[in-house]
Amino acid sequence: AQSVAQPEDQVNVAEGNPLTVKCTYSVSGNPYLFWYVQYPNRGLQFLLKYITGDNLVKGSYGFEAEFNKSQTSFHLKKPSALVSDSALYFCAVRDNSWGKFQFGAGTQVVVTP
Amino acid sequence: DTAVSQTPKYLVTQMGNDKSIKCEQNLGHDTMYWYKQDSKKFLKIMFSYNNKELIINETVPNRFSPKSPDKAHLNLHINSLELGDSAVYFCASSLGIAGPDTQYFGPGTRLTVL
């Protein structure tokens, strides 16, 4: 069985400061890990994914994520947050087979001016 | 061009009614999905179709019936609507069913059952 945890319901950060959104996962095989963002009243937008190779993955809008196999984590980061980054962020995992995504519960990011 | 589109965007109806939500993707993908997002924003998969064949059917009441007339379309029909069906329903598609395949989401349909 696969699972994913986002331990923080909400992350508050001041504009210009670094932003980190945490995600840990559990899968039986090799994981495929994804980050999505959801703005109010919108669908989920794909940010980035880890398949294999380099542990640091770069994605859209200046976001990046670091895969850490020993800690089974895939934290999303942005060096300098913008007010427009305020949204709901979802981590998702899929194992090395066909099947469903397992989404985390989501983390609300609030960036204040 | 919208990659994954859903109609309607909003749906307000009475308990007991039957309603449908339509989804279309123009990405040339083989696999499509329906998700339900509840009031706490939790996302749960309901169904998945690959090349018009049902491959994932979660523990969803049989009042929910998906139909895929072709690879580009996946519709969701709901019979005898209940208050608990109120949620946002998202359609998504991916190239295939392989692990690394990214899912692309539609804008959602907000269903309100009165």
Side-chain angles (χ1 to χ4, degrees):
Chain A
Q2 55 195 20
S3 65
V4 59
Q6 293 180 243
E8 300 153 318
D9 290 338
Q10 182 165 315
V11 169
N12 298 303
V13 63
E15 188 173 32
N17 282 359
L19 169 63
T20 298
V21 186
K22 295 179 181 177
C23 172
T24 58
Y25 67 90
S26 173
V27 295
S28 55
N30 291 324
Y32 300 109
L33 295 151
F34 302 77
W35 275 103
Y36 286 83
V37 60
Q38 184 179 23
Y39 297 99
N41 300 314
R42 305 285 294 275
L44 278 72
Q45 294 180 29
F46 169 70
L47 282 178
L48 51 81
K49 66 181 177 183
Y50 171 81
I51 301 175
T52 187
D54 194 347
N55 289 343
L56 186 63
V57 179
K58 293 190 183 296
S60 306
Y61 312 122
F63 283 94
E64 58 189 28
E66 186 167 9
F67 172 66
N68 188 318
K69 188 172 183 177
S70 62
Q71 297 186 4
T72 61
S73 66
F74 189 56
H75 301 331
L76 182 70
K77 300 181 181 182
K78 186 171 184 180
S80 178
L82 301 172
V83 172
S84 57
D85 293 328
S86 298
L88 185 59
Y89 291 79
F90 288 97
C91 181
V93 67
R94 206 178 193 183
D95 66 14
N96 190 21
S97 66
W98 70 270
K100 56 187 177 184
F101 271 33
Q102 183 69 51
F103 280 92
T107 298
Q108 184 70 47
V109 169
V110 178
V111 183
T112 51
Chain B
D1 283 344
T2 303
V4 182
S5 59
Q6 298 178 226
T7 53
K9 188 168 175 64
Y10 298 97
L11 189 51
V12 181
T13 188
Q14 300 286 333
M15 268 198 317
N17 284 351
D18 303 338
K19 290 294 179 185
S20 291
I21 306 172
K22 295 186 176 182
C23 178
E24 176 180 3
Q25 55 94 3
N26 62 6
L27 297 167
H29 288 170
D30 284 346
T31 309
M32 297 184 72
Y33 311 80
W34 278 111
Y35 285 87
K36 179 180 180 180
Q37 186 175 45
D38 62 23
S39 58
K40 294 185 178 179
K41 305 296 184 183
F42 187 72
L43 273 165
K44 182 173 178 180
I45 190 163
M46 301 172 69
F47 302 103
S48 176
Y49 272 73
N50 186 60
N51 278 323
K52 302 193 297 174
E53 183 180 344
L54 182 66
I55 57 169
I56 294 175
N57 185 350
E58 289 295 286
T59 50
V60 175
N62 58 16
R63 298 181 295 102
F64 290 79
S65 54
K67 282 191 172 54
S68 182
D70 55 57
K71 286 196 315 183
H73 296 85
L74 180 62
N75 303 323
L76 183 65
H77 188 76
I78 315 170
N79 290 325
S80 303
L81 279 155
E82 300 178 356
L83 293 177
D85 298 332
S86 295
V88 181
Y89 292 85
F90 287 103
C91 177
S93 74
S94 62
L95 188 63
I97 57 175
D101 290 346
T102 301
Q103 293 187 14
Y104 295 92
F105 284 76
T109 296
R110 183 175 294 275
L111 171 64
T112 303
V113 182
L114 304 174

